[in-house]
Amino acid sequence: MSSKKACNHFSGSVPQIVVEPEALPGGRWNENRLSFGIQARDALSLTYVFYEWEAPAHPGLQFEPLTFVSLDRQTFCFGNWWGFRMEFEPKRNSPQRLAYVILVEKEDRQKGWVLDPFTRNCTGGESWNKPVCFEIDSKTFSLHLMSRPQGPVFQGLRRLAIIKQEKLPLLTPVPPKKLKESIIYECHVRGMTIHPDSGVEDRAARGTFQALAEKIPHLQKLGVSVIELLPVFDFDENENPLSNPETGEPLLNYWGYSPLLFQVPKQSYALDVVNPENEFRQMVDAFHQAGIEVWLDVVFNHTAEMDDSGPTEHFKLLGREDWYLQDDQGKLLNYSGCGNTFKCAYPGARRMIKDSLFYWAHNLGVDGFRFDLASVLERDAKGNFHDGPGIFWELKNDPGLSGIKLIVEPWDATGGYRLGIPSKSADCAEWNDVFRDSVRRAVRGDEGQMGLLKEVILGSPATFGSTEKGRECSINYITSHDGMTLHDLVSYNNKRNELNDEENRDGHNSEYSFNCGFEGPTEDEKIIEIRRRKIRLMHFLLQVSNGIPMLAAGDEMGRTQKGNNNAYCHDSPMTWIDWSLANKNVELVEFVSCLTCFRKNNFAFLFSSESEYRWYNALGEDENLDNFVRTLHWEVKNPKYPGQQYRFLLNCFERPVEFLIPPEFDWELHLDSFEGQQERFIFEKPGSVWLEGFSAKALKA
């Protein structure tokens, strides 16, 4: 054991350094004991340097070390695991928060400063879009805070780890809900309330967890049961090196799909930047009290260290062969499209993933996780897809995650496509892009789509194995953060990503969109009406299909991104929710609310194992799914509800189509995507129902 003393020690109390082989990852502070654990391969020594830290970080600050501890491999390392604890007598004026960095010295003489990737608190990200960096003098350990340039490469660290006493507020117990009964609302924390018309009176709170909770009444009215947040793991929005070609302003990593720390809520998403975990937990509790679950979009497929030319901040120096996939020459493999691929098959990486999920679920109250580019997590140490149980099977069957929803995006950035596999091998729900594309193409008016549309309305049984399995595992969506908004799908034929500074090369090339006769905004009432009709029809199909529906924030009120289908880099009105649209397009908001209410009220009848589906053509005869057909007509019965049935009628032609239904029944019109709803349906002639072009009806006998 060895330790060195710096200028002072916790208000005069010298801490005792003790070997701790079972120290948990990161730093933990419990009364008068601080413990630290970290995995570091081929390190000869580690030096932990501590600084007293009470104020938020801003450029110009300078700190001398409070104390530092040098650890030798022989005494403090067990395999590749380093652990120690510090015990001291706290004084009345002892620091309540400590910042720390780790100096790693390796066998190959490589040496550098490391941000503890397992920390639960940090500093440096307090202010949105105001990048700072921390530079440490290698001899004196003096710490300097500086403004840093835009982009990922610079001298210093983007964050410092913080250790403090954890005092989290209590959470309201929430009984678990069935996954298949969920209605999901995907949104961006900042984008939900940063707009001047957000209705959040406290301007300082806009864009924060606290402000997001103020939108609970809207979400309750909308009828959603889950709010799914784009990444809130700490990330660096200023790592994007590109600039807006129109304004010259720097572009950002607005979405946050580039995790820097995996157990730290993003500081600038909190009004209380010193205790973002407390504010996040209070937000979760507010949603729970409103009957709404909170899911997180989590990124474990890569990290913010990017490719070989990117920054070295933690895993690269701690042992890149343990944390990242590499080829035979040691070059980082890139299945994520972001420069590196996390080595999820490695035990240390799996432990990190589990620890992160446990913390967010148990300590912060999160109810579910959606895994970005989840196919990456199913690759072995060579980058190949492995057979047999994988990490999702482990997570699904881990007692500590029982009742936690797990949702996967079943593809990656290099063509790995696994739709249907995670649900079979691990009983996870999956984003169903086949539903997305089938609905888009059918509503666009493409021929030959009715067979595919029927399949996804049933819950994609050919993919998931059965209709019942599809109800439980298919996340149905037409739009998400990634791609065009619902409004833009009917307003643009082509993506408009010129402002991303990539010459419109980025983003999906085929959105199956159609501008209805004019590209972009128009004052032509006929075009506006057909666009509105198609939007309502897509909302209709989303809510009457087997599977779990997901809405993208703002689609219930006609939000536009002006044709940009990859708006990851824009922190502007392009990506913010303009809440004035909720009043401007109140009829659409009310229609979506009507649809979710219909789904909930009729869930047991329409979406149970007893539900019986039968399909017809428009004339009420045997179904016809020839290429030229653009109508669907189906009946749902349920033996638990004798004498009742629903008929769903869908017309994807431009012109009106007559449908024939049994004339001997009294029919109530429950849903009409063209005109709204009414209590009793009036026939023009017995059993004859006319549907306008691109519209649908739901009738109950």
Side-chain angles (χ1 to χ4, degrees), residues 449-461:
Q449 298 304 307
M450 293 302 105
L452 292 171
L453 188 59
K454 171 189 172 181
E455 170 75 7
V456 298
I457 288 172
L458 281 172
S460 302

Side-chain angles (χ1 to χ4, degrees), residues 170-344:
L170 294 176
L171 279 171
T172 302
V174 178
K177 299 177 182 178
K178 293 181 180 179
L179 175 62
K180 66 180 181 180
E181 296 180 7
S182 302
I183 300 175
I184 308 165
Y185 189 88
E186 186 204 38
C187 71
H188 187 281
V189 172
R190 178 174 171 84
M192 277 288 280
T193 61
I194 196 64
H195 196 281
D197 290 331
S198 66
V200 177
E201 293 185 4
D202 184 352
R203 296 183 63 180
R206 292 175 187 170
T208 66
F209 300 126
Q210 177 179 306
L212 184 59
E214 294 188 29
K215 293 305 175 184
I216 288 175
H218 173 80
L219 298 175
Q220 288 178 310
K221 176 183 177 181
L222 206 59
V224 301
S225 60
V226 175
I227 185 168
E228 180 178 305
L229 306 181
L230 267 65
V232 299
F233 290 4
D234 182 65
F235 65 90
D236 173 21
E237 67 272 16
N238 299 106
E239 67 187 13
N240 191 337
L242 304 177
S243 299
N244 187 320
E246 190 174 90
T247 66
E249 295 179 353
L251 294 172
L252 304 182
N253 171 18
Y254 173 73
W255 283 350
Y257 287 89
S258 186
L260 187 57
L261 296 168
F262 295 84
Q263 295 186 43
V264 180
K266 184 157 180 60
Q267 284 182 285
S268 58
Y269 283 178
L271 184 61
D272 181 3
V273 295
V274 175
N275 302 291
E277 71 281 3
N278 285 357
E279 186 171 322
F280 180 88
R281 189 178 170 100
Q282 291 166 347
M283 176 203 71
V284 170
D285 198 44
F287 277 103
H288 284 174
Q289 292 183 43
I292 298 174
E293 293 186 349
V294 177
W295 298 357
L296 299 186
D297 196 335
V298 294
V299 183
F300 293 112
N301 56 77
H302 74 283
T303 80
E305 288 191 300
M306 302 185 184
D307 58 19
D308 289 291
S309 64
T312 297
E313 290 174 300
H314 39 52
F315 294 123
K316 284 181 181 177
L317 198 57
L318 292 172
R320 55 187 275 155
E321 60 268 49
D322 290 344
W323 300 102
Y324 296 123
L325 293 183
Q326 302 179 94
D327 63 16
D328 294 338
Q329 287 73 46
K331 182 180 178 181
L332 295 176
L333 295 174
N334 182 17
Y335 293 104
S336 67
C338 298
N340 63 60
T341 305
F342 207 55
K343 196 173 184 178
C344 301

Side-chain angles (χ1 to χ4, degrees), residues 388-401:
I391 186 171
F392 291 114
W393 184 88
E394 290 183 21
L395 297 175
K396 191 71 175 182
N397 291 281
D398 193 301
L401 293 174

Side-chain angles (χ1 to χ4, degrees), residues 393-683:
W393 184 88
E394 290 183 21
L395 297 175
K396 191 71 175 182
N397 291 281
D398 193 301
L401 293 174
S402 178
I404 301 298
K405 280 78 170 180
L406 303 181
I407 302 93
V408 304
E409 184 181 40
W411 51 80
D412 58 33
T414 55
Y417 188 77
R418 311 268 287 174
L419 182 65
I421 295 177
S423 56
K424 292 183 177 70
S425 63
D427 203 29
C428 291
E430 305 179 49
W431 271 31
N432 187 350
D433 62 320
V434 178
F435 181 95
R436 176 196 68 194
D437 295 345
S438 298
V439 171
R440 288 184 180 190
R441 295 188 69 181
V443 176
R444 185 169 68 170
D446 292 7
E447 291 189 344
Q449 298 304 307
M450 293 302 105
L452 292 171
L453 188 59
K454 171 189 172 181
E455 170 75 7
V456 298
I457 288 172
L458 281 172
S460 302
T463 297
F464 295 102
S466 68
T467 294
E468 183 60 26
K469 188 71 172 178
R471 293 184 182 117
E472 298 172 349
C473 295
S474 177
I475 304 294
N476 295 339
Y477 70 105
I478 303 168
T479 57
S480 67
H481 67 278
D482 191 3
M484 286 186 177
T485 68
L486 208 58
H487 174 276
D488 290 355
L489 284 175
V490 298
S491 304
Y492 295 88
N493 285 347
N494 304 297
K495 64 183 181 180
R496 296 297 182 92
N497 297 356
E498 290 83 2
L499 296 185
N500 294 5
D501 199 20
E502 297 184 52
E503 298 180 347
N504 208 30
R505 295 189 301 265
D506 61 309
H508 301 299
N509 289 319
S510 179
E511 290 277 5
Y512 303 118
S513 60
F514 177 54
N515 64 22
C516 300
F518 186 86
E519 188 76 358
T522 180
E523 296 182 2
D524 188 315
E525 287 298 328
K526 291 183 179 179
I527 293 177
I528 292 173
E529 172 52 32
I530 193 65
R531 288 177 177 178
R532 288 174 176 168
R533 196 184 306 177
K534 287 191 172 189
I535 289 173
R536 292 194 299 267
L537 177 56
M538 287 189 278
H539 276 299
F540 179 101
L541 290 170
L542 182 64
Q543 297 298 335
V544 303
S545 297
N546 289 273
I548 304 159
M550 185 184 80
L551 297 162
D555 276 349
E556 77 277 14
M557 59 181 85
R559 187 177 78 88
T560 178
Q561 290 180 171
K562 299 181 180 179
N564 193 312
N565 76 343
N566 189 33
Y568 79 99
C569 52
H570 293 280
D571 176 37
S572 70
M574 178 192 294
T575 52
W576 302 341
I577 302 299
D578 179 357
W579 288 93
S580 68
L581 294 173
N583 294 323
K584 179 181 178 181
N585 298 321
V586 64
E587 295 86 357
L588 180 58
V589 176
E590 291 177 349
F591 179 67
V592 175
S593 300
C594 175
L595 289 170
T596 58
C597 182
F598 171 85
R599 181 180 180 88
K600 291 177 179 179
N601 291 341
N602 295 280
F603 190 90
F605 184 94
L606 297 173
F607 308 119
S608 75
S609 57
E610 291 82 16
S611 302
E612 299 171 354
Y613 281 67
R614 184 176 176 183
W615 300 78
Y616 306 91
N617 65 10
L619 298 178
E621 301 166 345
D622 292 339
E623 68 177 349
N624 180 358
L625 300 177
D626 290 340
N627 276 348
F628 68 88
V629 174
R630 283 195 256 165
T631 60
L632 280 183
H633 175 185
W634 71 98
E635 167 192 274
V636 185
K637 292 183 178 180
N638 191 315
K640 287 189 174 182
Y641 302 84
Q644 298 184 39
Q645 66 168 281
Y646 269 100
R647 287 289 178 107
F648 294 87
L649 316 176
L650 169 67
N651 177 18
C652 287
F653 282 108
E654 296 86 350
R655 64 181 186 274
V657 171
E658 182 182 24
F659 286 76
L660 298 182
I661 59 176
E664 64 270 20
F665 291 105
D666 289 329
W667 293 95
E668 290 181 347
L669 179 61
H670 279 228
L671 295 174
D672 185 347
S673 71
F674 183 71
E675 290 183 325
Q677 61 181 142
Q678 57 192 59
E679 293 183 358
R680 184 72 60 179
F681 186 72
I682 301 174
F683 293 100

